[in-house]
């Protein structure tokens, strides 16, 4: 047989086979598609039948529950009645949707709707009559036979729907069986014809030439393509033969494993690479014993990860080849590892945020009731020093609980921030005397600043709290005394630094560094130092929220935290805060105390927690204000409508039950009277007044639990009432530590 005849025979066989397979496949596909459509319509009929039966059952259940209640007057019979009544409307809507393709069924269902509605009204009237007038009144309605006639009419319509749909189902099932029978024989016939054609083709092909003169040229072209492909890969690839000697490789294989060029030559043993990578600091390869005994399935690919001392993460994959050799693939997964770390951090933050958001609102409401009542009582009992002391201790404990909740919210980045441009050189020196008094004489406090400091964009109060937390942690690390250094400076975090810290945005930052000469931390402790509730203090000596709060505050402010520590060498925590560009730095706060301002304005207090609403109203009334109150948004709108001209200020919780939340309530009231001032209060702020962690412009917020003084000052500030300075000698206030209190 000549090559020409073989080619013609192969072409003829292939053409006939393709034509047969295409014909059989097309017919089979058409039949299968038709069968699928018929099956879907059958399932549709089943759903219609099931929904119709459920509707009939629901009607009977409603009537049965109504009869039980009418006869006995016991409320437990109303459970099935109420459940069935609620389901009937849903089932009617679903049945209307399912029969949208059937005009006859649609007419029946539309005719059924008023009958069912009339039946439900009759049931409801008898139930109400039984409840209001007793059994006799209910029986008068039942004995009219209106409900029985409606029920018979509804059952007749349901029966006609079921009969018609059952007829359609029987027809569709019969069509489906017919199509399945045809498909079965088409598949059998097509398979038999294909087998015969393949046998004929095999006979012809076995007579063909065993090789072609083009085989060698094709192999050379294939080898060239493979070589080019290997060199273009960003992964390291090496091919080892059955004798475990190197056959092919690319340049990335040498770079990723840091191999000398002398090793990369054909016939280099795999053991040589294992020995070289086993040196300290290199990503080790599998040993030959691990390759020989490590896998139950010799054809299964093995993947493992290695990490070098330079921080690179490598993924190494060994894929067996049919001839007994294997392909070694090395991938640089450093960026993926960094991204996974950022993702894990984000997931942790999301979980903590959900937890803190759930507890903060209710917990702060409880603390508000405790703290508000304590302060209210303390203002009334000025003559009893012992009771004053006990009230002060209880208030301190409640305030401590509020601080812990705030720290947890800070870590979860759920606290509302009011960032402003801060002149660190002007504000930080005022904090140093307080730190010296707080830390004690056994700790030396040093302060270092750089000329030309950039203003930082952050919340001033939160920054002060963060520095104080770091200082207190440093004090605990130096029980025998030491030195605390606070340093200010300007820092530029460039793209190279951001490449190694995925969460950092390159740019200008104002730096606040807090360093101590304490005992330092081990790498294990350092890796967990910012986790909430993690502490190295003994039981009862710490909450583990101080550094977590610092971490959350800086991250929410768009900054970066870096901590350096070694055992016995002390610790340095650097806070990088975004540079404030084009903003005027905030002025230094004055420490002069003020008397509580009083007023006569009308305040509308809206709070769903009765105890919180009561104490807030009591505080405001004690300060001279006229107070109106409401428990939710709808009630507040009604109260405002009755006193629209008198209300001067709205004090509302952010999270309110019902459809009208705090933000919507204030918008509606201000739409009617724009001059009404608004102060929000909340223990956990939702996104209605906080976006991207920052309070919206013009929003006044007082966090729960708040003190009597805080509420008085916030309301006075909103109403524009000036706060008069208190009479103190020299305007100097003696500071006391918590222990003295």
């Amino acid at each position: 047989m000549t090559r020409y005849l073989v080619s013609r025979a192969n072409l003829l066989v292939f053409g006939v086979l393709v034509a047969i397979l295409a014909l059989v496949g097309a017919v089979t596909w058409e039949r299968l598609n038709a069968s699928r459509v018929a099956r879907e319509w059958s399932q549709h009929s089943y759903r219609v039948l099931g929904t119709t039966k459920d509707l009939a059952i629901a009607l009977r259940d409603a009537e049965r529950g109504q009869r039980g209640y009418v006869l006995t007057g016991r409320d437990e019979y109303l459970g099935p009645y109420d459940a069935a009544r609620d389901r009937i409307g849903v089932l009617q809507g679903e049945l209307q949707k399912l029969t949208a393709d059937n005009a006859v069924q649609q007419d029946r269902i539309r005719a059924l709707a008023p009958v069912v509605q009339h039946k439900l009204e009759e049931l409801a009237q008898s139930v109400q009559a039984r409840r209001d007038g007793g059994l006799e009144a209910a029986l008068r309605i039942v004995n009219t036979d209106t409900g029985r006639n409606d029920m018979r009419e509804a059952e007749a319509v349901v029966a006609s729907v079921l009969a018609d749909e059952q007829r359609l189902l029987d027809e569709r099932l019969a069509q489906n069986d017919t199509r399945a029978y045809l498909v079965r024989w088409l598949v059998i016939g097509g398979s038999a014809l294909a087998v015969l054609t393949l046998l004929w083709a095999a006979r012809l092909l076995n007579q063909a030439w065993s090789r072609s003169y083009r085989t060698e040229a094709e192999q050379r072209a294939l080898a060239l393509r493979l070589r080019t492909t290997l060199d273009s890969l960003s992964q390291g690839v090496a091919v080892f033969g059955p004798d475990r000697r190197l056959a092919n490789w690319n340049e990335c294989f040498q770079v990723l494993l840091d191999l000398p060029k002398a090793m990369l030559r054909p016939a280099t043993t795999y053991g040589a690479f294992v020995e070289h990578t086993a040196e300290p600091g290199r990503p080790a390869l599998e040993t030959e014993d691990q390759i020989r005994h490590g896998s139950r399935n010799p054809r299964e690919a093995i993947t493992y990860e290695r990490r070098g001392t330079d921080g690179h993460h490598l993924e190494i994959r060994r894929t067996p080849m049919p001839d007994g050799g294997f392909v070694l693939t090395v991938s640089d997964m450093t960026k993926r590892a960094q991204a996974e770390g950022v993702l894990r951090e984000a997931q942790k933050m999301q979980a903590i945020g959900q937890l803190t958001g759930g507890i903060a609102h209710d917990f702060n409401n409880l603390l508000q009731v405790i703290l508000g009542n304590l302060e209210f009582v303390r203002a009334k009992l000025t003559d009893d020093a012992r009771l004053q002391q006990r009230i002060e201790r209880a208030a301190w404990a409640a305030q401590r609980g509020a601080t812990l909740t705030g720290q947890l919210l800070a870590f979860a980045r759920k606290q509302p921030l009011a960032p402003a441009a801060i002149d660190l050189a002007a504000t930080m020196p005022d904090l140093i005397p307080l730190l010296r008094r707080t830390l004690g004489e056994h700790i030396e406090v040093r302060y270092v600043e750089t000329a030309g400091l950039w203003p930082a964009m952050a919340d001033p109060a939160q920054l002060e709290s963060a520095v104080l937390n770091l200082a207190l942690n440093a004090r605990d690390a130096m029980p025998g005394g030491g030195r605390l250094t606070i340093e200010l400076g300007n820092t530029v975090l460039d793209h190279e630094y951001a490449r190694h810290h995925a969460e950092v945005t390159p740019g200008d930052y104002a730096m606040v560094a807090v360093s101590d000469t304490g005992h330092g931390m081990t790498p294990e402790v350092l890796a967990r130092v910012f986790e909430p509730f993690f502490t190295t203090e003994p039981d009862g000596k710490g909450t583990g929220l101080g550094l977590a709060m610092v971490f959350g505050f800086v991250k929410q402010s768009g900054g970066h935290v870096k901590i350096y520590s070694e055992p016995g060498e002390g610790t340095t925590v650097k806070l990088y805060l975004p540079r404030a560009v084009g903003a005027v730095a905030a002025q230094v706060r004055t420490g002069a105390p003020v008397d509580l301002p009083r007023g006569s304005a009308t305040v509308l207090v809206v709070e769903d927690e009765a105890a919180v609403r009561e104490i807030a109203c009591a505080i405001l009334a004690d300060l001279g204000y006229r107070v109106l109150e409401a428990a939710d948004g709808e009630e507040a709108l009604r109260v405002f409508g009755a006193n629209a001209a008198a209300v001067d200020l709205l004090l509302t919780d952010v999270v309110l039950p019902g459809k009208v939340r705090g933000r919507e309530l204030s918008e509606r009231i201000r739409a009617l009277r724009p001059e009404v001032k608004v102060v929000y209060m909340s223990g956990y702020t939702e996104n209605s007044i906080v976006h991207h962690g920052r309070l919206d412009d013009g929003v006044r917020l007082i966090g729960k639990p708040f003190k009597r003084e805080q509420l008085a000052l916030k309301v006075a500030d909103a109403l524009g009432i000036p706060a008069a300075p208190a009479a103190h000698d020299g305007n100097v206030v003696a500071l006391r530590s918590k222990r003295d209190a």
Side-chain angles (χ1 to χ4, degrees):
M1 181 181 293
T2 64
R3 185 179 303 165
Y4 175 78
L5 292 178
V6 171
S7 300
R8 293 295 299 272
N10 290 342
L11 184 61
L12 178 63
V13 171
F14 180 77
V16 172
L17 180 61
V18 169
I20 293 174
L21 292 178
L23 179 61
V24 173
V27 176
T28 304
W29 175 262
E30 189 276 332
R31 292 291 90 194
L32 285 174
N33 189 53
S35 177
R36 178 183 60 79
V37 173
R39 184 168 61 254
E40 290 177 353
W41 278 110
S42 299
Q43 293 173 351
H44 176 78
S45 295
Y46 281 123
R47 287 196 296 271
V48 174
L49 289 172
T51 305
T52 306
K53 292 176 182 178
D54 289 344
L55 179 60
I57 292 171
L59 281 172
R60 286 195 293 271
D61 287 346
E63 186 177 47
R64 185 163 53 252
Q66 173 257 357
R67 288 176 180 174
Y69 179 72
V70 168
L71 292 176
T72 64
R74 294 164 58 186
D75 289 340
E76 55 263 29
Y77 283 96
L78 292 179
Y81 164 73
D82 291 334
R85 183 190 59 192
D86 294 338
R87 289 189 61 212
I88 287 173
V90 176
L91 291 172
Q92 282 182 299
E94 185 176 355
L95 196 60
Q96 190 77 24
K97 187 193 328 181
L98 288 173
T99 59
D101 59 303
N102 193 327
V104 176
Q105 295 286 51
Q106 287 277 293
D107 293 338
R108 291 183 179 131
I109 292 170
R110 280 193 292 270
L112 178 63
V115 177
V116 171
Q117 182 63 31
H118 194 267
K119 175 62 180 176
L120 291 178
E121 291 175 355
E122 185 267 339
L123 294 178
Q125 290 173 0
S126 62
V127 169
Q128 188 63 38
R130 180 65 174 89
R131 183 181 290 114
D132 297 337
L135 179 62
E136 294 299 331
L139 289 177
R140 283 196 296 272
I141 298 176
V142 174
N143 290 333
T144 60
D145 292 337
T146 302
R148 184 178 61 180
N149 296 334
D150 290 338
M151 193 65 179
R152 288 177 177 176
E153 185 177 353
E155 289 177 345
V157 176
V158 169
S160 62
V161 172
L162 289 173
D164 194 16
E165 198 63 36
Q166 185 64 46
R167 178 185 58 77
L168 289 174
L169 176 62
D170 294 339
E171 293 177 358
R172 289 163 179 169
L173 290 176
Q175 293 175 359
N176 195 21
D177 292 340
T178 303
R179 292 189 178 99
Y181 179 79
L182 292 175
V183 169
R184 187 184 306 115
W185 280 108
L186 280 173
V187 171
I188 293 174
S191 300
L193 186 60
V195 169
L196 292 176
T197 305
L198 288 173
L199 290 176
W200 181 42
R203 179 175 177 275
L204 292 178
L205 292 176
N206 286 333
Q207 300 174 5
W209 298 95
S210 60
R211 55 192 305 177
S212 173
Y213 70 95
R214 292 190 298 269
T215 301
E216 186 176 355
E218 291 175 356
Q219 291 297 327
R220 285 198 300 268
L222 178 61
L224 180 60
R225 287 196 296 270
L226 288 176
R227 180 75 260 173
T228 305
T229 302
L230 282 175
D231 290 338
S232 66
L233 293 176
S234 60
Q235 298 172 308
V237 180
V239 182
F240 292 86
D243 56 354
R244 294 180 186 165
R245 293 181 178 273
L246 184 63
N248 294 285
W249 67 94
N250 66 354
E251 184 178 355
C252 281
F253 181 73
Q254 174 197 351
V255 173
L256 293 178
L257 291 182
D258 192 19
L259 301 173
K261 289 186 178 181
M263 290 187 65
L264 295 170
R265 61 178 184 272
T268 301
T269 62
Y270 177 75
F273 294 103
V274 173
E275 182 179 357
H276 179 76
T277 57
E279 298 177 3
R282 298 182 181 276
L285 298 175
E286 289 180 296
T287 64
E288 295 189 81
D289 289 338
Q290 289 175 322
I291 294 178
R292 189 180 300 109
H293 306 294
S295 177
R296 297 179 181 178
N297 186 0
R299 296 183 179 180
E300 181 182 3
I302 302 298
T303 304
Y304 53 96
E305 294 185 359
R306 293 291 186 265
R307 182 174 181 177
T309 55
D310 57 355
H312 278 73
H313 292 258
L314 299 182
E315 181 183 84
I316 304 175
R317 180 181 179 89
R318 175 174 54 83
T319 307
M321 293 194 301
D323 62 356
F326 58 87
V327 178
L328 207 63
T329 307
V330 184
S331 304
D332 189 351
M333 310 302 293
T334 305
K335 291 185 178 180
R336 188 187 74 176
Q338 293 177 349
E340 289 175 350
V342 174
L343 177 60
R344 284 193 300 270
E345 181 67 23
Q347 290 173 339
K348 179 173 69 176
M349 294 303 302
Q350 183 181 8
I352 293 295
Q354 292 174 347
L355 171 65
T356 55
I359 67 174
H361 181 266
D362 293 337
F363 189 62
N364 280 331
N365 275 343
L366 297 176
L367 290 175
Q368 177 60 59
V369 176
I370 297 171
L371 190 61
N373 280 283
L374 287 173
E375 291 194 332
F376 193 79
V377 172
R378 182 170 58 183
K380 303 298 181 181
L381 299 177
T382 57
D383 298 332
D384 194 331
R386 295 184 60 187
L387 285 179
Q388 282 285 340
Q389 186 179 11
R390 292 188 178 276
I391 291 174
E392 186 175 352
R393 289 178 179 175
W396 178 87
Q399 193 62 44
R400 177 61 175 162
T403 301
L404 294 179
T405 305
Q407 288 176 335
L408 196 59
L409 285 172
F411 172 77
R413 308 179 201 178
K414 293 292 184 179
Q415 61 178 345
L417 297 181
I422 306 173
D423 186 355
L424 297 177
T427 57
M428 278 298 161
D430 293 341
L431 192 60
I432 303 303
L434 174 62
L435 292 179
R436 289 195 175 104
R437 290 191 298 269
T438 303
L439 301 181
E441 296 179 355
H442 66 295
I443 295 179
E444 177 189 0
V445 179
R446 292 186 179 181
Y447 172 71
V448 181
E449 70 176 49
T450 303
L453 281 174
W454 295 329
M457 180 61 71
D459 189 312
Q462 294 295 336
L463 175 59
E464 186 175 300
S465 178
V467 174
L468 183 58
N469 269 288
L470 294 177
L472 293 177
N473 278 346
R475 179 194 62 184
D476 295 339
M478 300 182 290
R483 183 174 64 253
L484 176 75
T485 303
I486 297 180
E487 180 182 358
L488 307 180
N490 299 328
T491 302
V492 177
L493 301 181
D494 56 14
H495 290 276
E496 181 64 22
Y497 186 88
R499 190 172 64 87
H500 294 89
H501 301 80
E503 76 282 5
V504 174
T505 301
D508 297 340
Y509 292 85
M511 181 201 70
V512 179
V514 180
S515 305
D516 64 67
T517 58
H519 50 63
M521 290 179 281
T522 63
E524 293 76 15
V525 174
L526 193 61
R528 301 184 59 192
V529 71
F530 290 127
E531 293 184 8
F533 305 113
F534 174 76
T535 178
T536 57
E537 297 290 332
D539 292 342
K541 292 293 185 181
T543 63
L545 286 173
L547 288 177
M549 182 277 292
V550 174
F551 177 83
F553 154 66
V554 175
K555 290 296 183 183
Q556 189 176 352
S557 300
H560 173 57
V561 183
K562 189 67 175 179
I563 185 167
Y564 306 88
S565 184
E566 293 183 12
E569 299 296 331
T571 302
T572 297
V573 181
K574 293 186 176 182
L575 311 182
Y576 297 97
L577 301 172
R579 177 183 179 182
V581 180
V584 179
Q587 299 297 321
V588 181
R589 295 171 299 173
T590 60
V594 295
D595 286 333
L596 293 186
R598 306 177 64 84
S600 59
T602 300
V603 180
L604 173 58
V605 179
V606 187
E607 167 61 58
D608 58 302
E609 290 287 343
V612 177
R613 186 173 68 251
E614 177 187 359
I615 190 61
C617 292
I619 292 174
L620 292 172
D622 188 55
L623 292 172
Y625 296 99
R626 177 174 176 252
V627 181
L628 305 173
E629 58 180 288
D632 54 42
E634 290 86 350
E635 183 182 353
L637 290 174
R638 291 193 295 271
V639 173
F640 179 79
N643 303 271
V647 174
D648 300 302
L649 183 139
L650 170 67
L651 177 63
T652 177
D653 193 7
V654 178
V655 182
L656 291 175
K659 298 180 180 180
V660 181
R661 297 298 183 98
R663 183 61 180 263
E664 184 181 353
L665 172 63
S666 68
E667 290 175 350
R668 290 192 183 184
I669 289 179
R670 288 177 64 86
L672 298 174
R673 284 191 60 209
E675 64 272 15
V676 174
K677 307 301 180 183
V678 179
V679 175
Y680 294 98
M681 55 180 175
S682 181
Y684 169 64
T685 52
E686 57 182 14
N687 289 336
S688 60
I689 64 171
V690 177
H691 293 86
H692 306 292
R694 301 184 177 187
L695 284 173
D696 294 344
D697 293 337
V699 170
R700 292 184 178 91
L701 173 68
I702 181 170
K704 298 177 187 175
F706 48 78
K707 295 183 178 180
R708 182 169 179 266
E709 292 82 354
Q710 292 173 326
L711 180 60
L713 293 174
K714 184 66 72 172
V715 170
D717 176 66
L719 292 172
I721 301 174
H728 291 288
D729 295 338
N731 288 334
V732 176
V733 179
L735 298 177
R736 293 187 299 167
S737 65
K738 292 178 181 177
R739 294 181 181 176
D740 298 334

